[in-house]
Amino acid sequence: MTASVAAFGLLGSLVTACGSSESTGTTLRLVAPEYGDGPATSSKAYWDKLTAAFTAAHPDTKVEVTLYPWADVDREVTRMVEEDNAPDVALMGAYSDFAAEGRLYSADELLSIRAEANFLRPLAAAGSVDNTLYGLPFVASSRLLFYNEELFDEAGAKPPKTWSDLKKAAEALKEKGVPYPYALPLGPEEAHAEALIWELSNGGGYTDVSGQYAIASEQNTQTFRWIKDNLVVPGLTGPVPPAKLNRQDAFAAFLRGDVGMVNGYPSLLHEAKAKGMRVGTLSMPVSDTLEDGKIPPAAGVADWMMAFKRDGNRELVGSFLDFVYQDKNLSEFAGRYHLLPSTVTAAEASQGSQADPDTERFLDALHSAQLYPVNEPSWLQVSNTIKRNIGKAVAPSADPKTVLEDIAEQAQEETRQE
């Protein structure tokens, strides 16, 4: 499941088809993840409406949409590709391995110049390999630090701007009996997101300026050492060891009122406010040693639409994607799941809307966000290694440098196997 979605995904696959695949005409096959958490919120309703509108304008065309849970979609698409039965279009969490194999159309083979230029710059950069756009960003999210205003008021804590501020606030929250002063989800579900947020706040990240992996950099080592010594060892991260705390469990605890601070995205804020919680949002506090005045980027996450090369399908796929990326269609999906649209014009429309004023802050952060290195073909395997192991770096008995070096070595091995 990608980090930009708050839903768990449905069990099993759902299929929606506009027209029978046995009737005459041309059929486009789309495979996508289920963004809903049950029948009432299933993505099926969105795709039914969109494909009905598309086929009404293209009478000889049918669109078949297969939905899989987020936990399964990457694996299912990979299986289809290996069986030489790739869909025409897939929406999933990674694209670059297929691009490296020459299986994908580039954006300039499918979209108008105007449509291709409309993607938000950080997303287009992450979707490009060697300056060619293959992964079309669909919906995205940025991360901000959430804090429970009621708990902060009770503890007399102030919203933090630096790491030392964050530690002081966590100490005050702990004194008031808050179970998780700072929730640190470094469990295997989405540890790579929490780790990136912290790395960026100290001038680090997963890659260096040349785009090479820099997982065990000095900045990253300092970051995890600080987390370990100042938050984990003093017991400021709660009763569950960070390596075993998953994102959804941290979010559930936040919604129960058991968490003082947690990094979150728009859908969590929507859920919290629906429960009547008073929630403040901040940019991630920065390291006290970071250069004065330097503002690190927020962490951003996107889901990727990609088009597989098949004989005679390019024109149809291009027409379909042009339709998908119309502002009204993209904004409707993003709004349905409290995510952010991926294009300049749809983002501007969202910022101009009064329906969800909280969206503006996340969109502002997204404009300069740092995304995962998804354009590196080895990223899918490397991210899995990070998710399984990065939590070990803050264990009380661990040496953060050794843990990061072990992860870096595995990342290098994955890169060599490309």
Side-chain angles (χ1 to χ4, degrees):
M1 173 178 167
T2 63
S4 63
V5 182
F8 293 101
L10 297 179
L11 296 176
S13 64
L14 302 172
V15 178
T16 175
C18 292
S20 167
S21 60
E22 297 179 356
S23 61
T24 60
T26 303
T27 299
L28 182 146
R29 294 166 53 225
L30 166 67
V31 173
E34 172 56 77
Y35 283 71
D37 58 4
T41 59
S42 172
S43 303
K44 182 177 184 298
Y46 171 83
W47 292 113
D48 278 349
K49 179 181 177 181
L50 182 137
T51 55
F54 178 76
T55 54
H58 301 78
D60 294 328
T61 300
K62 299 173 292 295
V63 180
E64 294 181 352
V65 181
T66 303
L67 302 180
Y68 289 102
W70 265 108
D72 299 337
V73 67
D74 286 14
R75 181 178 65 252
E76 289 297 324
V77 172
T78 298
R79 175 186 60 77
M80 293 176 190
V81 171
E82 291 173 347
E83 295 174 354
D84 198 25
N85 188 34
D88 297 285
V89 179
L91 173 61
M92 50 194 283
Y95 71 89
S96 57
D97 48 347
F98 298 127
E101 295 170 356
R103 298 181 182 273
L104 302 181
Y105 288 115
S106 59
D108 59 5
E109 294 178 290
L110 300 169
L111 304 177
S112 66
I113 294 175
R114 182 176 181 179
E116 184 181 357
N118 195 27
F119 292 111
L120 291 169
R121 184 173 298 177
L123 305 183
S128 298
V129 178
D130 294 331
N131 297 316
T132 300
L133 183 63
Y134 292 99
L136 309 183
F138 184 57
V139 286
S141 71
S142 57
R143 302 299 173 91
L144 296 173
L145 182 70
F146 292 13
Y147 64 96
N148 185 315
E149 292 182 343
E150 183 176 348
L151 296 180
F152 264 61
D153 289 346
E154 292 174 355
K158 296 181 180 180
K161 295 182 180 180
T162 66
W163 287 1
S164 59
D165 293 341
L166 187 150
K167 180 182 179 181
K168 290 177 183 177
E171 289 171 338
L173 291 162
K174 183 180 180 182
E175 289 180 5
K176 286 294 184 179
V178 176
Y180 294 86
Y182 178 87
L184 183 65
L186 292 177
E189 180 186 345
E190 207 203 21
H192 60 315
E194 181 72 12
L196 179 61
I197 292 168
W198 277 94
E199 290 168 358
L200 292 173
S201 70
N202 191 31
Y206 289 131
T207 57
D208 58 24
V209 292
S210 67
Q212 301 299 309
Y213 286 121
I215 295 170
S217 69
E218 183 59 29
Q219 294 104 312
N220 291 348
T221 300
Q222 291 172 355
T223 295
F224 287 96
R225 184 170 289 120
W226 189 94
I227 295 171
K228 170 192 166 183
D229 293 342
N230 292 274
L231 297 180
V232 178
V233 172
L236 301 178
T237 55
V240 179
K244 295 184 178 180
L245 182 64
N246 281 320
R247 178 194 60 186
Q248 286 298 336
D249 295 330
F251 284 4
F254 183 77
L255 294 173
R256 292 195 305 267
D258 290 341
V259 173
M261 295 172 281
V262 68
N263 282 302
Y265 45 65
S267 54
L268 176 63
L269 184 59
H270 173 79
E271 290 184 72
K273 293 200 169 183
K275 292 174 63 70
M277 296 177 65
R278 291 192 296 118
V279 179
T281 59
L282 295 167
S283 298
M284 178 64 187
V286 300
S287 164
D288 296 81
T289 61
L290 196 66
E291 180 182 343
D292 286 345
K294 183 175 181 180
I295 302 176
V301 181
D303 302 328
W304 307 98
M305 192 81 77
M306 64 210 72
F308 287 90
K309 293 179 179 178
R310 297 171 64 88
D311 289 343
N313 75 337
R314 190 175 75 170
E315 183 176 350
L316 174 60
V317 168
S319 297
F320 179 71
L321 291 176
D322 271 328
F323 187 74
V324 167
Y325 282 98
Q326 289 181 12
D327 287 354
K328 63 178 181 180
N329 294 327
L330 186 60
S331 295
E332 181 179 342
F333 190 93
R336 176 186 289 263
Y337 296 106
H338 308 288
L339 297 168
L340 306 177
S342 60
T343 64
V344 174
T345 53
E348 289 174 347
S350 296
Q351 285 183 303
S353 172
Q354 297 302 311
D356 188 3
D358 293 316
T359 298
E360 185 166 351
R361 179 153 198 163
F362 288 98
L363 280 169
D364 287 342
L366 185 62
H367 279 286
S368 59
Q370 175 72 54
L371 279 77
Y372 304 132
V374 290
N375 46 11
E376 167 57 56
S378 65
W379 172 245
L380 190 59
Q381 289 73 33
V382 171
S383 65
N384 285 332
T385 298
I386 293 171
K387 285 186 282 188
R388 292 194 308 269
N389 295 286
I390 198 72
K392 300 174 185 176
V394 298
S397 60
D399 174 15
K401 182 177 180 62
T402 299
V403 174
L404 294 180
E405 287 178 342
D406 288 345
I407 295 173
E409 184 176 344
Q410 294 181 61
Q412 290 178 349
E413 181 62 28
E414 295 289 353
T415 302
R416 286 193 290 267
Q417 293 177 5
E418 290 176 12

